[in-house]
Amino acid sequence: MLKIYYFGRLSDRAGRREESLALPVGVNSVSTLKNWLDTKHGLGGALQDKSVKTMINQSLIHKDIVLQGDEEIGFLPPVGGG
Amino acid sequence: MLKIYYFGRLSDRAGRREESLALPVGVNSVSTLKNWLDTKHGLGGALQDKSVKTMINQSLIHKDIVLQGDEEIGFLPPVGGG
Amino acid sequence: MLEIMDTPFNPGERLNAFSEKCKDAGAIASFIGLVRGQKGEVSELRLESYPGVTEQGIEQAIEQAKKRWPLTTALVIHRIGSMGVGEPIVLVATASKHRRAAFESCDFLMDYLKTDAVFWKHQIGPDGAKWIEPREQDYQDKNRWS
Amino acid sequence: MLEIMDTPFNPGERLNAFSEKCKDAGAIASFIGLVRGQKGEVSELRLESYPGVTEQGIEQAIEQAKKRWPLTTALVIHRIGSMGVGEPIVLVATASKHRRAAFESCDFLMDYLKTDAVFWKHQIGPDGAKWIEPREQDYQDKNRWS
């Protein structure tokens, strides 16, 4: 199962903070997963926004990556604390 | 009466932290007072050192000044706290 | 030293405990961030983290600070969860023999926390809720160190 | 706010009290100076002031800081008299809406205190007593602001 986390404003957009799902048919990479989630939750391209970073198993990725189906995936809009 | 304060290392040198005295005969200015105190306490020119500042009635002076005989005089070696 | 907590903390007590541990340092710089906002404008701030990722990032920033300045030690305490106006969000404290090193490393860690630390801020007021992201000034402050 | 005292003070409690008064500031920078010294090398530090003159000078520095940065308020607590190793000598705290202003004004006030504040430091150790004057680095730090 994929474990997906939506942080910050993305959780408002997706209507959830997390979800678990099996790799959908036709989805084999981060880019195809983003498109699939965009359609499923009606995200209006929010995951494609340049400011949104993707983490696979808690590491930032800088290019598209093939998915096995058991990853933890985090979608991170701009961060900031303090 | 003059009220004289010796601060920091000058108090070690003068063997006192303060003293009161009437304007000595022949002393009518800060410069003549410094010479007089130097002789009296054997200060070895400590008051003449460039790093020592003089305050008259709690204000720094930048040139020689005539004394009336009722001033508060402070001799201040380099300061620093914190 | 890092602590991320979802309950209020007492900055003065924490700073005293920190001082106790680094008495040979001499110089302790610190920063306290409070939830800001005129009463009525902001009623609540909610901070979210990515457990694991957030801690790792801050620990790395502390290590960077220790490489860059001669620090005895450094402390970051950061709130998550729900906070009211005036409550402490963050305490950063750095200890060194040198005053400059303490000030600069504290400043550096705050710049990291403002722009790169993995938190999201949700501000709730009478007009609804909004997500707060770093200002341009925060990114500029941070670029001073690169 | 300025306090010069010849008895120990609790920096954390003082900082908490200060924070309480400036909740709308958001950013509080502070600095704590402790009597430094390996045990055995320094046994006591004595600080002397020029009552009246010392206070006036620090008050003026606080006023300068307030003109230069948008501060909500500023606090200086400075010890005089006899102190042991590890005891707090000084606490400076500055509060602002802006993090940069808080850090810089705290730094500025510490530089003033180190080189221009009217104090004399007598350090007593096993080899006797000596008067401590500012280091060249302290004067350089101070010149950053002029």
Side-chain angles (χ1 to χ4, degrees):
Chain A
M1 296 285 273
L2 296 171
K3 178 84 187 177
I4 301 176
Y5 292 101
Y6 301 91
F7 292 103
R9 54 180 160 79
L10 292 175
S11 62
D12 286 352
R13 205 66 200 255
R16 71 205 68 212
R17 297 164 60 94
E18 55 183 270
E19 65 184 324
S20 294
L21 51 89
L23 208 56
V25 175
V27 170
N28 59 0
S29 67
V30 170
S31 61
T32 50
L33 177 66
K34 280 181 177 179
N35 286 331
W36 190 88
L37 292 170
D38 192 79
T39 306
K40 186 186 171 211
H41 298 308
L43 303 181
L47 296 181
Q48 270 77 17
D49 193 288
K50 267 194 195 170
S51 69
V52 172
K53 293 177 178 170
T54 304
M55 284 190 146
I56 305 290
N57 297 331
Q58 306 203 347
S59 292
L60 272 183
I61 59 165
H62 302 283
K63 55 187 177 67
D64 200 10
I65 273 186
V66 170
L67 294 174
Q68 307 304 320
D70 60 353
E71 286 89 348
E72 174 182 318
I73 303 179
F75 293 115
L76 293 72
V79 296
Chain B
M1 295 285 271
L2 296 172
K3 180 83 187 179
I4 301 177
Y5 292 101
Y6 302 92
F7 292 102
R9 56 180 159 79
L10 293 174
S11 63
D12 287 352
R13 204 67 199 255
R16 70 205 69 211
R17 297 164 58 93
E18 54 183 270
E19 65 184 324
S20 295
L21 50 88
L23 208 57
V25 175
V27 169
N28 59 1
S29 66
V30 170
S31 61
T32 51
L33 176 68
K34 281 180 173 178
N35 286 332
W36 190 88
L37 292 170
D38 192 80
T39 305
K40 185 186 172 209
H41 298 308
L43 303 180
L47 297 181
Q48 270 76 18
D49 192 289
K50 266 194 195 170
S51 69
V52 171
K53 293 177 179 171
T54 304
M55 283 190 146
I56 304 292
N57 297 331
Q58 307 203 344
S59 292
L60 273 183
I61 60 165
H62 302 282
K63 53 186 178 70
D64 200 12
I65 272 185
V66 171
L67 293 173
Q68 306 304 319
D70 59 353
E71 286 90 349
E72 174 181 318
I73 303 180
F75 293 116
L76 293 71
V79 296
Chain C
M1 291 183 283
L2 169 63
E3 227 174 307
I4 294 178
M5 46 202 298
D6 59 5
T7 50
F9 67 93
N10 183 317
E13 279 180 15
R14 292 311 195 92
L15 195 54
N16 278 348
F18 179 78
S19 299
E20 280 296 317
K21 283 185 214 147
C22 45
K23 288 200 167 192
D24 58 335
I28 298 168
S30 68
F31 182 88
I32 300 169
L34 306 176
V35 177
R36 198 170 66 185
Q38 307 294 335
K39 278 233 185 303
E41 283 179 29
V42 177
S43 52
E44 186 190 347
L45 188 71
R46 285 187 204 148
L47 255 88
E48 187 183 358
S49 70
Y50 187 170
V53 174
T54 305
E55 288 83 349
Q56 197 190 15
I58 299 174
E59 295 282 13
Q60 281 174 0
I62 292 173
E63 287 313 305
Q64 277 176 36
K66 285 182 177 171
K67 276 183 195 154
R68 193 156 176 166
W69 290 278
L71 301 184
T72 310
T73 178
L75 169 69
V76 173
I77 300 177
H78 207 294
R79 277 292 308 277
I80 53 173
S82 173
M83 284 153 270
V85 170
E87 268 190 68
I89 309 175
V90 63
L91 169 67
V92 174
T94 53
S96 176
K97 290 192 178 177
H98 308 280
R99 180 165 93 262
R100 282 266 65 64
F103 270 121
E104 289 180 10
S105 57
C106 189
D107 198 2
F108 169 86
L109 286 170
M110 274 310 302
D111 282 348
Y112 170 83
L113 290 169
K114 282 282 178 182
T115 57
D116 285 349
V118 180
F119 293 105
W120 296 273
K121 285 181 178 169
H122 210 192
Q123 182 180 292
I124 294 120
D127 304 331
K130 61 176 177 176
W131 294 93
I132 308 291
E133 295 177 359
R135 302 161 304 149
E136 180 50 34
Q137 182 64 48
D138 292 318
Y139 291 115
Q140 283 175 25
D141 284 349
K142 202 233 156 190
N143 286 337
R144 293 179 305 150
W145 308 104
S146 52
Chain D
M1 292 182 281
L2 168 64
E3 227 174 306
I4 294 177
M5 46 201 300
D6 59 6
T7 50
F9 67 94
N10 182 316
E13 280 181 13
R14 292 312 194 92
L15 195 53
N16 277 349
F18 179 78
S19 298
E20 280 295 317
K21 283 185 211 143
C22 45
K23 288 201 166 189
D24 58 336
I28 298 168
S30 67
F31 183 88
I32 300 169
L34 305 176
V35 178
R36 197 171 66 184
Q38 308 294 334
K39 278 232 182 305
E41 282 179 30
V42 176
S43 51
E44 186 190 347
L45 189 71
R46 286 187 203 149
L47 256 87
E48 187 183 357
S49 70
Y50 188 169
V53 174
T54 306
E55 287 83 348
Q56 197 190 12
I58 299 174
E59 294 282 13
Q60 281 173 0
I62 293 174
E63 287 312 307
Q64 276 175 38
K66 286 183 177 171
K67 276 183 195 154
R68 195 155 175 166
W69 290 279
L71 301 183
T72 310
T73 178
L75 169 69
V76 173
I77 301 177
H78 207 293
R79 277 291 308 276
I80 54 175
S82 172
M83 283 153 271
V85 170
E87 268 190 66
I89 310 176
V90 63
L91 169 67
V92 173
T94 52
S96 175
K97 291 193 177 178
H98 308 280
R99 179 165 93 262
R100 281 267 66 63
F103 270 121
E104 289 180 9
S105 57
C106 189
D107 197 2
F108 169 86
L109 286 170
M110 274 309 303
D111 283 347
Y112 170 83
L113 290 169
K114 282 281 178 181
T115 56
D116 285 349
V118 180
F119 293 105
W120 296 275
K121 285 180 178 170
H122 210 192
Q123 183 180 292
I124 294 120
D127 303 332
K130 61 177 178 176
W131 294 93
I132 308 291
E133 294 176 0
R135 304 160 304 149
E136 180 51 33
Q137 182 64 49
D138 292 320
Y139 290 115
Q140 282 175 24
D141 283 349
K142 202 233 153 191
N143 286 336
R144 294 178 305 149
W145 309 104
S146 51

